[in-house]
Amino acid sequence: MNAKVQIQFPEQSIPFYTHTQLLDAHTIVLETTTSIQTLIDRIDKSITFLKTSYENVLHPSTFTELESLISIARYLSNDFCNTFDVQLENYKNSVTETKCDAGGFLDLYGLAHEFFNWLSSLIFQIKDELRTVKQTSKALCDAVFASLENLINIADYYSDNHRNTFKIEFEKFEAEWEATKNG
């Protein structure tokens, strides 16, 4: 009696990711945050240039609100950049296993999405304040503000695009994480 026995192994119910994949995710989040930090610094330099170049035409308080918003954006970007940098270094130093699950990505992408969500809102306020500055500075033509406006538009696009990307990644890993907890 030679019966053939077929053994079926259950499908892997919990997807695993490599150390390198999570390391890459940490690196992408840090580099993205560093890039927006650079844009914010450049916007700040552009405001300072306008303020000093046209101090004889503009009231000293013209850029006060804009500078305050930039200061908040700079603080947020520096804080989150430091946070992501520390997380990356901690991850590099603490990983002993070669596989990880969706939970490792979930926290990272959740925090990145939250940061870029805040930053997108803040950049919208910066754009709005620049409109106000342009309206109150009738002595200057719009071309004077073109470079600053372009930098703000780039930062707006960049932050909004990455906010959406990190949201998609967060939702993907959140669904996967919930499925592994319940399944």
Side-chain angles (χ1 to χ4, degrees):
M1 201 161 187
N2 287 343
K4 289 187 179 182
V5 177
Q6 283 190 333
I7 301 174
Q8 278 191 319
F9 294 102
E11 289 184 34
Q12 180 180 346
S13 60
I14 301 174
F16 286 105
Y17 299 93
T18 66
H19 163 72
T20 304
Q21 288 171 306
L22 190 51
L23 184 63
D24 288 346
H26 277 280
T27 303
I28 288 168
V29 168
L30 178 60
E31 287 176 356
T32 305
T33 307
T34 303
S35 296
I36 197 72
Q37 184 180 38
T38 302
L39 274 169
I40 290 167
D41 288 344
R42 188 64 202 123
I43 290 167
D44 189 37
K45 286 178 184 178
S46 187
I47 291 169
T48 302
F49 173 77
L50 286 174
K51 189 176 177 180
T52 56
S53 297
Y54 298 100
E55 65 187 352
N56 58 340
V57 179
L58 300 170
H59 190 272
S61 66
T62 302
F63 292 102
T64 303
E65 187 73 21
L66 199 52
E67 289 173 316
S68 294
L69 290 168
I70 292 297
S71 177
I72 294 166
R74 175 178 270 152
Y75 172 80
L76 272 176
S77 66
N78 288 344
D79 187 47
F80 276 86
C81 200
N82 290 338
T83 298
F84 293 134
D85 190 33
V86 167
Q87 284 182 349
L88 177 62
E89 289 305 312
N90 287 343
Y91 182 74
K92 283 180 182 177
N93 295 331
S94 68
V95 173
T96 56
E97 297 177 24
T98 58
K99 294 189 178 192
C100 56
D101 59 21
F105 292 91
L106 185 62
D107 292 338
L108 175 66
Y109 285 128
L111 188 58
H113 172 256
E114 183 177 4
F115 165 64
F116 277 93
N117 195 34
W118 290 354
L119 200 58
S120 289
S121 297
L122 194 53
I123 290 172
F124 177 80
Q125 292 300 313
I126 291 168
K127 281 175 87 169
D128 192 45
E129 184 58 28
L130 180 60
R131 271 188 229 109
T132 303
V133 167
K134 284 172 61 176
Q135 289 171 353
T136 60
S137 306
K138 297 289 186 193
L140 300 174
C141 69
D142 285 350
V144 169
F145 299 100
S147 179
L148 174 59
E149 199 166 29
N150 286 337
L151 285 169
I152 293 171
N153 287 334
I154 291 168
D156 183 39
Y157 171 79
Y158 191 84
S159 65
D160 197 46
N161 186 36
H162 284 87
R163 176 189 59 153
N164 292 334
T165 300
F166 292 139
K167 179 182 180 186
I168 290 167
E169 291 299 311
F170 173 75
E171 289 172 349
K172 178 179 89 176
F173 286 108
E174 182 181 43
E176 191 176 301
W177 181 250
E178 288 300 319
T180 59
K181 286 187 348 186
N182 297 331

